[in-house]
């Protein structure tokens, strides 16, 4: 039986492929060096050499946007991997042990929700000074409670199934059951969540870099490009457009892809979203 | 007051109601009987102008002499509550859980008749007394979850009567209730219909309830009206094989409707169940489950025959006998 | 019910305490010398020692934590290094700005989200529904600060209808309101994108229930059924999300203040980061986190007000 793929999955997939492809391409090739300045050539109009023109320091806009894609993807990947693996581990542990450990982990997760990424990044920036690394840490941190909750909820359902009881009866310990039976069965839920958190992380990185708490000059980041463009809004409004569009495309892409993956993994829930 | 002539309701390829013809006059007490899926609830919703948006209506549906088959939502809103009111099966689910029941009953009076809060309160109080709710002043201040099932159904009846309708449609009003409570609710409906000179359309699969409540009966199966007549006559001498099946499957009235643990007892029933809309046979809808089926039943639709005065049935067997 | 409120209140206080521990720990326990951070690498050892003494850094950690909490409870958040005035005074001066923006943002968010969400549910599977879903999908993906820049570009740079930023105080109320229009829209659009979706799906869920049919059978208009019967019953999930959105409302307010140069707490926190003004940052982070926790606590209590059935169970 062939089933049509959900529309949001297809659109999301195309957008994600575009962004990830651009980021990958920027590793080996960009039209120009994204940080190379040429003051004499500032605010150049779009041309065959500079497809979207140049900025106030004569840097090629397209190259900067491509480098920005690479920056966004790596920050989101590291932050979601870090926060996700800690959160999944905590969630599995809470579900496997239960009792006060489960309560404790869930209370800690509640606590984590009191700190938006921005507040955490602000604290880190105040203590250590602003840096991209601190921004990554802050985004990773807010992912921990999200993944802990989702993992524990999904894992608790699997623990009630017969074959898990059978494995316990066969003398498997809880760690081994979590690894061999629980984790593979909640993989879909975690991947869906990770895709959605990827979108959240891209937005967070852009906001933090815009506010000066993330990528520092001259590193290219969509958020930082926008903060530079803001001071030039009367001179070169076009510079305030492109990086924002890139953010929207990337966030929309991962968001739709996540929704689509969820629709495919839980057809029951598909009807009214 | 209400006339249906060759009225049909379709959903895409399926037909929920096929060529229904029916007249309801003031003071009539009419029972509509059939299993779930027979089209009786769809018929009731059509009388309220509340068929789903996806339904395709055809034929004539006239109320107070006006054709309402293509009427707008606004035209229906004028009729609802003031001419025709309806009560539903699950009294718990049918009441807004966040509202005090008194406010729920007062709302249509205030909206339709512009009554002041005080006047509406007074009339609601009188209605609560009329439908037999004890301590009505206190009850009006309560929320649905604080009332018993029977009391909730009485509240719904009070709500239906809020604007003095001339017709009340009761869609399986007793199914969710204990046998004892159900009995009193049916008694109440009959009393109200008599006292108010109101028409009552009583929809049910409970033949005992229909016998107590109504003068006339329509038996429905698969969207067709298969038999009709005076209630006593039809129940005493059913002509359509489906009606006979229903009567044979009637639960023993000495057995309570609920088991000792409180779960609803499964009623004895006809073998099989009503097929889905798009799988119904094109001829007689009952073909396939009929114990006395003829060769052409599944393909040719039986005509509705006037068998005796005020007595109709639609079955090929009757035509064979007449020949 | 009394027990329910008591338990929630205890939980709320414990969460606040835990939040204060986290804030204090991140700001004080992590490796790093605040004195060195403040004075810079080339400070003399004497000056560092003197500053450590002044900041009370030589006391044991626990003593410092207890002092901080105890003083904070009495409205004393210490002295700002950069402004040389009590942090509490700085906060009071800027509180009105931030609260005005947040409240205006929340009100517009609720109007937009409830209107669009209920409207979409009423138009289920028709063009209006589709349009609202598309717009909200887009709204979720648009960063608030970029939307702000686009609004400035259009309404301030090109059309010159509204100021691009800044705030001259409340002495001229018309000018003050004009300065708040764009920030409020930027804040509300992003917030309401999520809330409109939740409202729509909650309303669709309620519309399937029997009492909606009863209300229609009573001859009530579709509009009245939607707003008087469906919406109140959809409020539980909506309020849950509103509570959760307080975290993003706080974040959004901080970001928007910085985009529009509004002199509120969000602006203050960034000035304090640049100035290495740790007591101010610590106080503000604690304040913002406390607002998020309090909002969730209030939501827990609101459930009981909204749904009479919970009163019996709680």
């Amino acid at each position: 039986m062939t089933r049509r793929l959900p529309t949001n999955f297809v659109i999301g997939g195309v957008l994600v492929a575009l962004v990830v492809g651009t980021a990958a391409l920027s590793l080996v090739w960009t039209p120009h060096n994204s940080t190379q300045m040429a003051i004499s050539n500032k605010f150049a109009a779009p041309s065959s050499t500079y497809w979207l023109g140049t900025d106030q320091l004569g840097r090629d806009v397209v190259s900067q946007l491509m480098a920005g894609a690479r920056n966004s993807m790596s920050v989101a990947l590291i932050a979601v991997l870090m926060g996700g693996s800690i959160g999944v581990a905590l969630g599995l542990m809470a579900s496997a042990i239960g009792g006060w450990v489960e309560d404790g982990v869930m209370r800690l997760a509640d606590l984590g929700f009191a700190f938006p990424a921005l507040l955490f990044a602000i604290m880190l920036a105040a203590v250590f000074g602003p840096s991209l690394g601190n921004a990554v840490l802050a985004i990773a941190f807010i992912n921990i409670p999200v993944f802990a909750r989702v993992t524990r909820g999904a894992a608790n359902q699997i623990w009630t199934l017969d074959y898990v009881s059978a494995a316990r009866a066969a003398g498997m310990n809880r760690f081994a059951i979590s690894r061999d039976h629980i984790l593979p069965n909640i993989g879909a839920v975690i991947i869906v969540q990770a895709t959605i958190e990827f979108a959240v992380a891209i937005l967070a990185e852009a906001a933090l870099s815009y506010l000066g708490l993330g990528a520092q000059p001259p590193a290219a980041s969509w958020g930082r490009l926008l903060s530079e463009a803001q001071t030039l809004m009367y001179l070169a409004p076009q510079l305030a457009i492109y990086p924002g569009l890139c953010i929207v495309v990337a966030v929309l892409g991962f968001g739709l892809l996540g929704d689509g993956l969820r629709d495919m993994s839980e057809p029951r829930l598909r009807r009214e979203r | 007051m209400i006339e249906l002539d060759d009225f049909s309701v379709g959903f895409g390829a399926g037909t929920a109601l096929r060529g229904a013809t029916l007249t309801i006059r003031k003071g009539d007490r009419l029972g509509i009987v059939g299993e779930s899926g027979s089209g009786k609830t769809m018929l009731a919703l059509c009388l309220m102008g509340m068929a789903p948006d996806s339904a395709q209506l055809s034929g004539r549906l006239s109320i107070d002499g006006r054709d309402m088959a293509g009427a707008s939502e606004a035209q229906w809103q004028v009729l609802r509550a003031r001419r025709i009111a309806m009560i539903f099966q699950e009294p718990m689910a049918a009441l807004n859980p966040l509202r005090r029941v008194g406010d729920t009953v007062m709302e249509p009076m205030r909206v339709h008749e512009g009554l002041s809060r005080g006047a509406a309160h007074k009339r609601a109080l009188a209605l609560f007394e009329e439908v037999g709710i004890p301590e009505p002043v206190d009850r009006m201040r309560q929320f649905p979850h604080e009332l018993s099932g029977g009391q909730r159904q009485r509240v719904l009846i009070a709500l239906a009567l809020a604007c003095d309708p001339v017709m009340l449609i009761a869609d399986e009003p007793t199914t969710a209730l204990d046998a004892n409570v159900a009995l009193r609710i049916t008694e109440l409906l009959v009393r109200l219909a008599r006292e108010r000179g109101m028409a009552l359309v009583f929809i049910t699969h409970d033949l005992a309830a229909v016998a107590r409540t109504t003068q006339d009966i329509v038996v429905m199966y698969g969207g067709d009206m298969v038999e009709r007549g005076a209630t006593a006559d039809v129940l005493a001498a059913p002509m359509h094989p489906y009606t006979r099946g229903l009567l044979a499957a009637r639960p023993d009235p000495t057995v309570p409707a609920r088991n000792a643990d409180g779960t609803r007892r499964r009623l004895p029933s006809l073998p099989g169940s009503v097929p889905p809309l798009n799988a119904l046979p094109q001829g007689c809808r009952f073909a396939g489950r009929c114990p006395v089926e003829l060769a052409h039943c599944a393909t040719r639709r039986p005509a509705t025959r006037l068998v005796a005065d005020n007595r109709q049935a639609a079955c090929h067997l009757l035509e064979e006998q007449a020949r | 019910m009394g027990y329910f409120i008591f338990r929630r209140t205890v939980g709320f206080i414990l969460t606040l305490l835990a939040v204060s521990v986290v804030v204090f720990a991140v700001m004080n326990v992590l490796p790093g010398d605040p004195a060195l951070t403040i004075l810079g690498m080339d400070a003399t050892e004497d000056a560092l020692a003197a500053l450590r003494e002044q900041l009370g850094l030589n006391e044991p950690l626990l003593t410092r934590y207890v002092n901080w909490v105890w003083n904070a409870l009495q409205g004393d958040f210490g002295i700002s290094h950069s402004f040389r005035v009590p942090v509490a005074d700085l906060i009071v001066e800027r509180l009105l700005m931030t609260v005005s923006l947040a409240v205006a943002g929340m009100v517009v968010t609720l109007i937009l989200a409830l209107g669009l969400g209920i409207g979409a549910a009423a138009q289920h599977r028709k063009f209006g529904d589709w349009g609202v879903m598309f717009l909200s999908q887009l709204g979720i993906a648009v960063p608030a600060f970029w939307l702000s820049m686009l609004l400035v570009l259009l309404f301030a740079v090109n059309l010159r209808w509204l100021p691009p930023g800044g705030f001259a105080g409340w002495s001229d109320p018309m000018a003050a309101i004009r300065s708040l229009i764009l920030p409020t829209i930027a804040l509300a659009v992003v917030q309401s994108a999520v809330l409109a979706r939740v409202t729509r799906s909650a309303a669709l869920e309620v519309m399937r229930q029997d009492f909606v049919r009863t209300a229609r059978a009573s001859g009530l208009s579709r509009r009245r059924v939607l707003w008087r019967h469906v919406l109140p019953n959809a409020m539980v999930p909506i309020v849950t999300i509103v509570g959760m959105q307080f975290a993003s409302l706080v974040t959004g307010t901080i970001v928007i203040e910085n985009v529009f140069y509004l002199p509120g707490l969000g602006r203050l926190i960034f000035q304090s980061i640049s100035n290495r003004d740790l007591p101010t940052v610590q106080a503000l982070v604690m304040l913002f986190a406390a607002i998020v926790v309090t909002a969730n606590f209030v939501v827990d209590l609101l459930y009981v007000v909204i749904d009479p059935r919970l009163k019996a169970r709680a």
Side-chain angles (χ1 to χ4, degrees), chain B residues 68-146:
Chain B
M68 297 296 286
S72 69
E73 175 73 14
Q75 283 171 296
W76 276 109
Q77 275 167 23
V78 177
L79 291 181
R80 289 180 202 145
R82 275 168 282 190
R83 300 292 296 168
I84 310 173
M86 183 164 175
I87 59 175
F88 298 97
Q89 184 170 358
E90 287 282 344
M92 182 67 212
L95 283 168
N96 185 334
L98 305 188
R99 283 203 176 194
R100 296 174 199 279
V101 293
D103 291 339
T104 302
V105 172
M106 283 152 64
E107 189 179 19
M109 306 173 193
R110 307 196 60 194
V111 171
H112 297 313
E113 302 181 17
L115 256 55
S116 70
R117 208 183 148 74
H121 190 269
K122 224 168 120 190
R123 194 199 287 180
L125 208 59
L127 279 173
F128 270 49
E129 274 165 7
E130 190 181 352
V131 300
I133 298 175
E135 296 161 46
V137 181
D138 296 335
R139 290 292 100 78
M140 279 181 68
R141 276 201 295 269
Q142 289 183 317
F143 290 97
H145 70 271
E146 296 171 315

Side-chain angles (χ1 to χ4, degrees), chain A residues 98-148:
Chain A
W100 68 268
V101 175
E102 184 171 12
D103 283 348
V105 169
M106 285 307 111
R107 287 290 83 77
L108 274 180
D110 287 345
L111 188 59
F113 282 108
F115 292 99
L118 179 60
L119 282 191
F120 209 75
I122 283 172
M123 289 198 285
L124 292 181
V127 177
F128 300 109
S131 74
L132 188 59
N134 287 340
V136 173
L137 268 185
I139 300 169
F141 175 80
I142 56 151
N143 271 297
I144 297 175
V146 174
F147 279 92

